[in-house]
Amino acid sequence: MSTAGLRFTESHEWLKVDGEEALMGLSDYAQHELGDIVFVELPEEGTAVSAGDVLATVESVKSVSEVYSPVAGEVVEINGDLEDSPDLINTDAYGDGWLIKLKLTDVAEIDRLMSDDEYEAHTKG
Amino acid sequence: MPYIPNTDKDRMEMLRTVGASSFDDLLTNIPESLRLRGDLDVPGPLSEPELMMHMERLAGLNKVPGEVTSFLGGGVYDHAVPAAVHHITGLPHFYTAYTPYQAEVSQGTLQAIYEFQSLIAELTGMEVANASLYDGATAVAEAALMALGIQRKRRKICVSESVNPAARAVLRTYLAAWGIELVEIPLEGGVTDVGAAAGAGADAAAVIVQQPNFFGLLEPVEAISAVAEETGALLVASVDPISLGVIRPPAEYGAAIVVGEGQSLGSPVAYGGPLLGFMATNAKHARRMPGRIIGTTTDTEGRRGYVMTLQTREQHIRREKATSNICTNQGLVALAATAYLSILGGTGLRELASHVLAKSHYAASELAGVPGVKLRFDGSFFREFVIELPVESSVVKEALTDIGIWPGIKCGCYYPEMDNCLLVSVTEKHSRRDIDSLVSGLAAVLATGEA
Amino acid sequence: MTGSEKTRETIVEPTIFELGRPGRCGFRLPELDVPALDPAEVLGAGNVRQAGPDIPDLSEPEAVRHFTRLAELNHHVDRGFYPLGSCTMKYNPKVNEDAAALPGFTRLHPEAEERCCQGSLSLMYHLSRHLCEISGMDAVTLEPPAGASGELTGMLIVRAYHTARGNPRSKVIVPDSAHGTNPASLTLAGYDAVEIVSDDEGRIDTEELRKVVDEETAAIMITNPNTLGVFETHIEEIIEIVHGVGGLVYMDGANLNALLGIVRPGDIGFDVMHFNLHKTFSAPHGGGGPGSGPVGVKAALAPYLPYPVISRDDARPEGRKYHFDYDRPESIGKVHGVYGNFLVAVKAYAYILSLGPAGLRRVAENALINANYLQAALREHYDLPHGDYCQHEFVLSASRQKEHGVKALDIAKRLLDFGVHAPTIYFPLIVKEALMIEPTETESRESLDHFAEVMKEIARESESDPAVVQGAPTATPVSRLDEARAAKDLDVTWKRRNA
């Protein structure tokens, strides 16, 4: 899937903005590094977060990674399919493997994040 | 050196191979000023016969059943252990193996622990269980920490005063460092005062009860469970696995976490160690459990196999965020429990529990017939009961110990208002004659005024 | 898991739930010689179990064969080499098992009167004294039932010490090479972990340490020799830095085997430490316990030890000389229901007596010689990030093999095909593709030579035929197991599996 238009963080989260809301997930690079993902712990809907807060944890067999909120906002939806099929993150990181839908406090905050080209350069560096 | 193969000649050659001219060359990283001068001041070396003679002499200084008749319990019980159990745990394949890090060469240990978890789930009625904890006391503390992990906004634990005093002591130690409030629920007639529990339970992460309790009494678990549910606290039940042959399993009265002491399943009393802690819960809390958990999977050929699973909860991966620091647990003792329950079977366990019930009730009614002696509490009991004496229990215990009878645990050690009370424990190993000798011994001691 | 997948599965050994028949029993109870009772009548119908437990009924031969077949699927020290770094998998002397099986020990109830327990109390008293002598500490508790429990106990003692001086302090420093139990234990004791980066040689970087140490530093936890098998050469300076701010220095005794009779931690400034009787002192590991994790402290910390402590009072009448002292007002409390894993203490005590002072020193010497000999044999064939003389263990890296697609995990699995156990892998975390090897003193030179040959063969295979290594093991009872599946399709009890 194309990553055009997505925004990325140094800690490998992606964000797809649609008006005042944004879907977020883990990058394909990150899922590949983690290997088979076996469990995802997601926040409750309605949780308010600041940029840099731990939003979720993603577990492979032998590692645990924390997922940080790239921006401030409120959790409006979580991907319930991940409870039974955490491997969606492995198979479709930018699609069905999304984690959380956020309502953004300040849409302008996304300007701090990397573009897909910048992110690609970041992971190769 | 019986256990150290390489000789001085081997050593010299090996040192030469690594480019060292003497052993001290290997110590270049240790500043000389830090090294020990001279020898350690410890005894030995002893040859094997000398060592065994010494060990036999020490063991001989202890007094044990055979020389005496013991009615001691309080969480550690002297049940008959089928010979096959220690022959199984005595297989070097089991006892000289490490924690099963390499699953492909540890299937024996792994499957046995899976069977242990399954048996604990079966006994307690819960869905999942872990591979063991150190003992029943630390299991209670771990259950409290687990409840706090599930109920993150609550900073209080309630525990009934009828929970084993040692378990409450360990719980206090574990909770103090985190600044968690620990509330003890008082008793009424030897069991948890449900009204007091209702008051104390508010804001608690968990309410902890023991069934049967420290005095052997059956707790009003249904009512306590209702209190826990009302206040939003998790019910933690500490249970006696032998009793579960006849007593209702804790899953049926709403326990969220079940723990207990499993020593009575095939292990000797061994001066209180090794013991065996166990823990069970429901599937939704599986990831909050401390300790090792074994799960099934398949190998590349489709064969069923067993591995340590959910390891991301554990200290070697999650470090300071782990559910607990436990790694080594009580693997071999869990194997003993698994072998023991396999040999008894469900039929055998039910029969055993009913014998314990019958014998303890016989003992209680006979003891209550001794002049001046009465049962302290009226409630239903299993295996253990409290008798009240006309004098201080320590005097009676001393006098009976002199004639080779250990009548029970002095309750006053743990409950100061019960100085005249003894906690008497009866198992299937006690014959009617053993019980009758306790009864007549006690009667004689009280009558002659030795006490 | 779906039904069709289940039926595809083949079974090496059925579980007990798939064995036996109702009504069989491997056990005969004594005749009931008191009146039988109806449980529902005595206990109340509401308290009585209505069904189950659903435990299969097996006869004794069925049960014994089941567990013996399971046993044969295990690798174990009596069978062969077990170079698990940091686990000290030494041979377990048989006489220790006999000593611990004496009825005078196994049948003693913990609530027996003290005058009936003098043998056990004397043994534990003297074992504590010997551990003090070996470590240079002033007092020892045997109560913690495992190493991690010892760490927690030690950290709680640290907390009690500082609390008595007005401030428990808030943080404990751990190097990044530490065992995961260290940060987990200090967290349980209510502290925050502060991790410091090791220097290029894998040692604690004293400059880094100076940066993080302050008045809130309660302690530093140090494994010495560290998990790379390297002695902390600057240990005096490290201790001085931490003591300088009033902090305490904790030693994780996992690697004490390397120091026996050579260095006493108490002499060089450590304040508190734990021992692993199931590592250094030869008690078998039991496939995951029971262990024993005694804690030793300097005199200033002794008041905080868990209660009870064993005291000797020669003024008491013979037969009551040794006793448990519960009157410890400053104690951290209890950390175990009774007083730890007594039978493990029996084995450690027997071990110390059978070796004596010269034997203990020889344990450390031969452990070091064996490790260095093996390191020298393998350093050409694998990367060795820290190449000095090691202490009792060393860490290789499979980075070179990884260029051919062979990971440390693959090498570990391939070793199993040759009948030896794998080293500890992916630990310490600061070495990539780590293979941590601890041979111990109980291996003969021939055993080390054999292992070295196997490791060299695997290094060759990694270049010439990586698929063989990646596909290992094949000579084991099962081939490589799918750990991801185990975590995803969670099946940890038979009941749940069949629910």
Side-chain angles (χ1 to χ4, degrees), chain C residues 252-273:
Chain C
D252 178 328
N255 294 341
L256 186 66
N257 210 43
L259 300 182
L260 294 175
I262 296 175
V263 172
R264 303 199 314 163
D267 292 347
I268 67 177
F270 283 95
D271 303 293
V272 48
M273 68 173 290

PDB file of all heavy atoms in Angstrom, chain C residues 252-273:
ATOM      1  N   ASP C 252      24.689  -8.860  43.181  1.00  0.00           N
ATOM      2  CA  ASP C 252      23.942 -10.014  42.668  1.00  0.00           C
ATOM      3  C   ASP C 252      24.935 -11.166  42.629  1.00  0.00           C
ATOM      4  O   ASP C 252      25.914 -11.132  41.881  1.00  0.00           O
ATOM      5  CB  ASP C 252      23.416  -9.673  41.269  1.00  0.00           C
ATOM      6  CG  ASP C 252      22.653 -10.831  40.633  1.00  0.00           C
ATOM      7  OD1 ASP C 252      22.995 -11.993  40.907  1.00  0.00           O
ATOM      8  OD2 ASP C 252      21.723 -10.569  39.845  1.00  0.00           O
ATOM      9  N   GLY C 253      24.696 -12.166  43.448  1.00  0.00           N
ATOM     10  CA  GLY C 253      25.664 -13.249  43.601  1.00  0.00           C
ATOM     11  C   GLY C 253      25.555 -14.354  42.572  1.00  0.00           C
ATOM     12  O   GLY C 253      26.105 -15.446  42.767  1.00  0.00           O
ATOM     13  N   ALA C 254      24.871 -14.095  41.466  1.00  0.00           N
ATOM     14  CA  ALA C 254      24.693 -15.139  40.447  1.00  0.00           C
ATOM     15  C   ALA C 254      26.024 -15.722  40.003  1.00  0.00           C
ATOM     16  O   ALA C 254      26.110 -16.897  39.667  1.00  0.00           O
ATOM     17  CB  ALA C 254      23.936 -14.569  39.248  1.00  0.00           C
ATOM     18  N   ASN C 255      27.066 -14.893  40.006  1.00  0.00           N
ATOM     19  CA  ASN C 255      28.354 -15.344  39.491  1.00  0.00           C
ATOM     20  C   ASN C 255      29.392 -15.571  40.585  1.00  0.00           C
ATOM     21  O   ASN C 255      30.592 -15.515  40.335  1.00  0.00           O
ATOM     22  CB  ASN C 255      28.869 -14.334  38.460  1.00  0.00           C
ATOM     23  CG  ASN C 255      27.963 -14.307  37.233  1.00  0.00           C
ATOM     24  OD1 ASN C 255      27.193 -15.239  37.002  1.00  0.00           O
ATOM     25  ND2 ASN C 255      28.043 -13.240  36.459  1.00  0.00           N
ATOM     26  N   LEU C 256      28.932 -15.853  41.775  1.00  0.00           N
ATOM     27  CA  LEU C 256      29.846 -16.041  42.908  1.00  0.00           C
ATOM     28  C   LEU C 256      30.805 -17.207  42.694  1.00  0.00           C
ATOM     29  O   LEU C 256      31.875 -17.264  43.285  1.00  0.00           O
ATOM     30  CB  LEU C 256      29.023 -16.250  44.187  1.00  0.00           C
ATOM     31  CG  LEU C 256      29.800 -16.332  45.497  1.00  0.00           C
ATOM     32  CD1 LEU C 256      30.468 -15.005  45.811  1.00  0.00           C
ATOM     33  CD2 LEU C 256      28.893 -16.741  46.654  1.00  0.00           C
ATOM     34  N   ASN C 257      30.405 -18.140  41.828  1.00  0.00           N
ATOM     35  CA  ASN C 257      31.259 -19.313  41.592  1.00  0.00           C
ATOM     36  C   ASN C 257      32.685 -18.901  41.217  1.00  0.00           C
ATOM     37  O   ASN C 257      33.635 -19.606  41.517  1.00  0.00           O
ATOM     38  CB  ASN C 257      30.655 -20.167  40.475  1.00  0.00           C
ATOM     39  CG  ASN C 257      30.976 -21.640  40.623  1.00  0.00           C
ATOM     40  OD1 ASN C 257      30.901 -22.176  41.732  1.00  0.00           O
ATOM     41  ND2 ASN C 257      31.348 -22.295  39.537  1.00  0.00           N
ATOM     42  N   ALA C 258      32.795 -17.755  40.542  1.00  0.00           N
ATOM     43  CA  ALA C 258      34.102 -17.303  40.070  1.00  0.00           C
ATOM     44  C   ALA C 258      34.970 -16.746  41.201  1.00  0.00           C
ATOM     45  O   ALA C 258      36.169 -16.534  41.012  1.00  0.00           O
ATOM     46  CB  ALA C 258      33.918 -16.231  39.002  1.00  0.00           C
ATOM     47  N   LEU C 259      34.372 -16.468  42.334  1.00  0.00           N
ATOM     48  CA  LEU C 259      35.095 -15.733  43.381  1.00  0.00           C
ATOM     49  C   LEU C 259      35.466 -16.583  44.595  1.00  0.00           C
ATOM     50  O   LEU C 259      36.208 -16.129  45.470  1.00  0.00           O
ATOM     51  CB  LEU C 259      34.253 -14.548  43.863  1.00  0.00           C
ATOM     52  CG  LEU C 259      33.858 -13.486  42.829  1.00  0.00           C
ATOM     53  CD1 LEU C 259      33.075 -12.366  43.499  1.00  0.00           C
ATOM     54  CD2 LEU C 259      35.084 -12.926  42.124  1.00  0.00           C
ATOM     55  N   LEU C 260      34.957 -17.820  44.652  1.00  0.00           N
ATOM     56  CA  LEU C 260      35.139 -18.638  45.862  1.00  0.00           C
ATOM     57  C   LEU C 260      36.609 -18.724  46.274  1.00  0.00           C
ATOM     58  O   LEU C 260      37.444 -19.210  45.517  1.00  0.00           O
ATOM     59  CB  LEU C 260      34.598 -20.055  45.636  1.00  0.00           C
ATOM     60  CG  LEU C 260      33.092 -20.196  45.422  1.00  0.00           C
ATOM     61  CD1 LEU C 260      32.738 -21.648  45.078  1.00  0.00           C
ATOM     62  CD2 LEU C 260      32.324 -19.732  46.661  1.00  0.00           C
ATOM     63  N   GLY C 261      36.904 -18.243  47.451  1.00  0.00           N
ATOM     64  CA  GLY C 261      38.274 -18.327  47.959  1.00  0.00           C
ATOM     65  C   GLY C 261      39.231 -17.357  47.295  1.00  0.00           C
ATOM     66  O   GLY C 261      40.427 -17.372  47.580  1.00  0.00           O
ATOM     67  N   ILE C 262      38.732 -16.527  46.392  1.00  0.00           N
ATOM     68  CA  ILE C 262      39.604 -15.583  45.678  1.00  0.00           C
ATOM     69  C   ILE C 262      39.305 -14.143  46.098  1.00  0.00           C
ATOM     70  O   ILE C 262      40.201 -13.378  46.434  1.00  0.00           O
ATOM     71  CB  ILE C 262      39.443 -15.752  44.149  1.00  0.00           C
ATOM     72  CG1 ILE C 262      39.919 -17.150  43.721  1.00  0.00           C
ATOM     73  CG2 ILE C 262      40.216 -14.664  43.396  1.00  0.00           C
ATOM     74  CD1 ILE C 262      39.696 -17.490  42.266  1.00  0.00           C
ATOM     75  N   VAL C 263      38.017 -13.789  46.073  1.00  0.00           N
ATOM     76  CA  VAL C 263      37.603 -12.450  46.502  1.00  0.00           C
ATOM     77  C   VAL C 263      36.374 -12.602  47.390  1.00  0.00           C
ATOM     78  O   VAL C 263      35.463 -13.382  47.078  1.00  0.00           O
ATOM     79  CB  VAL C 263      37.242 -11.560  45.284  1.00  0.00           C
ATOM     80  CG1 VAL C 263      36.624 -10.249  45.748  1.00  0.00           C
ATOM     81  CG2 VAL C 263      38.461 -11.293  44.416  1.00  0.00           C
ATOM     82  N   ARG C 264      36.349 -11.865  48.492  1.00  0.00           N
ATOM     83  CA  ARG C 264      35.153 -11.867  49.337  1.00  0.00           C
ATOM     84  C   ARG C 264      34.460 -10.517  49.180  1.00  0.00           C
ATOM     85  O   ARG C 264      35.033  -9.472  49.542  1.00  0.00           O
ATOM     86  CB  ARG C 264      35.524 -12.091  50.803  1.00  0.00           C
ATOM     87  CG  ARG C 264      36.314 -13.388  51.020  1.00  0.00           C
ATOM     88  CD  ARG C 264      36.297 -13.846  52.452  1.00  0.00           C
ATOM     89  NE  ARG C 264      36.559 -12.783  53.420  1.00  0.00           N
ATOM     90  CZ  ARG C 264      36.280 -12.880  54.713  1.00  0.00           C
ATOM     91  NH1 ARG C 264      35.725 -13.989  55.195  1.00  0.00           N
ATOM     92  NH2 ARG C 264      36.550 -11.892  55.528  1.00  0.00           N
ATOM     93  N   PRO C 265      33.237 -10.518  48.636  1.00  0.00           N
ATOM     94  CA  PRO C 265      32.556  -9.253  48.362  1.00  0.00           C
ATOM     95  C   PRO C 265      32.508  -8.312  49.571  1.00  0.00           C
ATOM     96  O   PRO C 265      32.662  -7.103  49.430  1.00  0.00           O
ATOM     97  CB  PRO C 265      31.146  -9.694  47.955  1.00  0.00           C
ATOM     98  CG  PRO C 265      31.320 -11.091  47.459  1.00  0.00           C
ATOM     99  CD  PRO C 265      32.452 -11.681  48.218  1.00  0.00           C
ATOM    100  N   GLY C 266      32.327  -8.887  50.741  1.00  0.00           N
ATOM    101  CA  GLY C 266      32.258  -8.060  51.940  1.00  0.00           C
ATOM    102  C   GLY C 266      33.560  -7.333  52.219  1.00  0.00           C
ATOM    103  O   GLY C 266      33.563  -6.212  52.735  1.00  0.00           O
ATOM    104  N   ASP C 267      34.685  -7.953  51.870  1.00  0.00           N
ATOM    105  CA  ASP C 267      35.984  -7.334  52.115  1.00  0.00           C
ATOM    106  C   ASP C 267      36.204  -6.100  51.242  1.00  0.00           C
ATOM    107  O   ASP C 267      36.959  -5.209  51.596  1.00  0.00           O
ATOM    108  CB  ASP C 267      37.127  -8.322  51.808  1.00  0.00           C
ATOM    109  CG  ASP C 267      37.178  -9.471  52.792  1.00  0.00           C
ATOM    110  OD1 ASP C 267      36.497  -9.372  53.834  1.00  0.00           O
ATOM    111  OD2 ASP C 267      37.893 -10.460  52.528  1.00  0.00           O
ATOM    112  N   ILE C 268      35.601  -6.095  50.057  1.00  0.00           N
ATOM    113  CA  ILE C 268      35.910  -5.018  49.118  1.00  0.00           C
ATOM    114  C   ILE C 268      34.840  -3.938  49.114  1.00  0.00           C
ATOM    115  O   ILE C 268      34.873  -3.046  48.271  1.00  0.00           O
ATOM    116  CB  ILE C 268      36.191  -5.555  47.700  1.00  0.00           C
ATOM    117  CG1 ILE C 268      34.942  -6.171  47.066  1.00  0.00           C
ATOM    118  CG2 ILE C 268      37.305  -6.597  47.742  1.00  0.00           C
ATOM    119  CD1 ILE C 268      35.195  -6.644  45.631  1.00  0.00           C
ATOM    120  N   GLY C 269      33.896  -4.014  50.038  1.00  0.00           N
ATOM    121  CA  GLY C 269      33.001  -2.881  50.217  1.00  0.00           C
ATOM    122  C   GLY C 269      31.539  -3.111  49.893  1.00  0.00           C
ATOM    123  O   GLY C 269      30.716  -2.214  50.069  1.00  0.00           O
ATOM    124  N   PHE C 270      31.178  -4.318  49.407  1.00  0.00           N
ATOM    125  CA  PHE C 270      29.742  -4.572  49.183  1.00  0.00           C
ATOM    126  C   PHE C 270      29.029  -4.611  50.527  1.00  0.00           C
ATOM    127  O   PHE C 270      29.550  -5.131  51.512  1.00  0.00           O
ATOM    128  CB  PHE C 270      29.548  -5.894  48.443  1.00  0.00           C
ATOM    129  CG  PHE C 270      29.845  -5.817  46.973  1.00  0.00           C
ATOM    130  CD1 PHE C 270      31.087  -6.174  46.472  1.00  0.00           C
ATOM    131  CD2 PHE C 270      28.876  -5.361  46.083  1.00  0.00           C
ATOM    132  CE1 PHE C 270      31.366  -6.085  45.113  1.00  0.00           C
ATOM    133  CE2 PHE C 270      29.142  -5.276  44.724  1.00  0.00           C
ATOM    134  CZ  PHE C 270      30.387  -5.630  44.235  1.00  0.00           C
ATOM    135  N   ASP C 271      27.822  -4.062  50.540  1.00  0.00           N
ATOM    136  CA  ASP C 271      27.059  -3.979  51.787  1.00  0.00           C
ATOM    137  C   ASP C 271      26.053  -5.101  51.940  1.00  0.00           C
ATOM    138  O   ASP C 271      25.676  -5.478  53.045  1.00  0.00           O
ATOM    139  CB  ASP C 271      26.286  -2.653  51.831  1.00  0.00           C
ATOM    140  CG  ASP C 271      27.202  -1.460  51.702  1.00  0.00           C
ATOM    141  OD1 ASP C 271      28.003  -1.242  52.628  1.00  0.00           O
ATOM    142  OD2 ASP C 271      27.138  -0.752  50.673  1.00  0.00           O
ATOM    143  N   VAL C 272      25.553  -5.580  50.809  1.00  0.00           N
ATOM    144  CA  VAL C 272      24.471  -6.571  50.851  1.00  0.00           C
ATOM    145  C   VAL C 272      24.542  -7.380  49.567  1.00  0.00           C
ATOM    146  O   VAL C 272      24.919  -6.862  48.514  1.00  0.00           O
ATOM    147  CB  VAL C 272      23.095  -5.867  51.037  1.00  0.00           C
ATOM    148  CG1 VAL C 272      22.911  -4.700  50.091  1.00  0.00           C
ATOM    149  CG2 VAL C 272      21.920  -6.823  50.876  1.00  0.00           C
ATOM    150  N   MET C 273      24.233  -8.670  49.657  1.00  0.00           N
ATOM    151  CA  MET C 273      24.287  -9.520  48.459  1.00  0.00           C
ATOM    152  C   MET C 273      23.353 -10.702  48.620  1.00  0.00           C
ATOM    153  O   MET C 273      22.910 -11.010  49.720  1.00  0.00           O
ATOM    154  CB  MET C 273      25.710 -10.041  48.238  1.00  0.00           C
ATOM    155  CG  MET C 273      26.165 -11.036  49.295  1.00  0.00           C
ATOM    156  SD  MET C 273      27.774 -11.782  48.912  1.00  0.00           S
ATOM    157  CE  MET C 273      27.376 -12.835  47.511  1.00  0.00           C
TER     158      MET C 273
END
